[in-house]
Amino acid sequence: MVMRRWDPFIELRRMQENMDHLWRGFSQPSGNNGEMEGWAIPLDVVQEGENIVVHASLPGVNPSDLNVTIENDVLTIRGQTAGENERQEGNYLMRERHTGSFHRSLRLPDTLDVEKAQTTYDHGVLTVAFPKVEAKQARQLPINVGGGSQVIEGENSEA
């Protein structure tokens, strides 16, 4: 049994934190020029073989509205979605689909060959694949035993 100090207001604090989190999602801070800052793009970064692959979820975004740049080892994805031209006869009760400008920047490690990056856009997912720089790929070294008379090579080494 774990002893825990009783706090009569803990549930109220949790509810307040949840409400604060909810309201932060509705309001966006103003940028320096008075425009609304863009929403952050959800990303997955995975290692596939010798490549590092970035998947960005951009459902409903026209590929011609995307701008993908790499500068000083920083990948930046920018764009804008047009607001839907729907008649609004009432107030939104819930709005989770983002409209307007968006951006996401990701610092890339120096082990990637940014000159050979390849991008694709399919079914609302932007994919940017980076091969690793060959000189920085891990390689297995043979181990010399004793005075160098015997060489042990690892299981995955190529001879």
Side-chain angles (χ1 to χ4, degrees):
M1 182 164 121
V2 176
M3 298 288 291
R4 192 175 358 175
R5 181 176 173 223
W6 180 69
D7 184 354
F9 300 106
I10 193 163
E11 290 301 318
L12 289 174
R13 275 196 292 274
R14 282 188 192 143
M15 187 172 66
Q16 180 66 42
E17 289 171 5
N18 289 337
M19 291 301 292
D20 288 345
H21 180 72
L22 176 68
W23 286 112
R24 275 194 303 262
F26 287 122
S27 64
Q28 295 183 351
S30 296
N32 295 337
N33 58 3
E35 295 178 6
M36 299 296 272
E37 288 185 11
W39 46 276
I41 303 164
L43 298 179
D44 289 337
V45 181
V46 295
Q47 181 169 348
E48 295 178 359
E50 293 299 320
N51 293 333
I52 299 296
V53 181
V54 177
H55 299 284
S57 295
L58 299 163
V61 176
N62 189 338
S64 63
D65 294 334
L66 292 174
N67 183 13
V68 181
T69 60
I70 300 172
E71 186 176 353
N72 296 327
D73 291 330
V74 175
L75 169 68
T76 301
I77 303 168
R78 293 184 188 277
Q80 182 146 351
T81 60
E84 293 183 11
N85 295 329
E86 61 186 46
R87 261 188 1 194
Q88 182 179 344
E89 295 177 3
N91 294 325
Y92 282 102
L93 298 178
M94 181 170 75
R95 186 171 188 173
E96 295 181 342
R97 296 181 303 149
H98 296 285
T99 59
S101 65
F102 57 86
H103 69 279
R104 186 73 187 262
S105 294
L106 180 67
R107 178 157 304 280
L108 302 171
D110 63 352
T111 57
L112 301 180
D113 190 348
V114 296
E115 299 297 323
K116 294 182 181 174
Q118 295 181 341
T119 60
T120 57
Y121 185 79
D122 189 31
H123 293 91
V125 177
L126 174 70
T127 301
V128 185
F130 298 94
K132 289 185 180 178
V133 177
E134 289 187 31
K136 300 207 176 183
Q137 289 181 3
R139 63 184 175 103
Q140 191 161 355
L141 300 175
I143 301 169
N144 294 318
V145 178
S149 60
Q150 181 182 10
V151 176
I152 300 174
E153 295 196 25
E155 296 174 13
N156 297 330
S157 66
E158 297 174 62

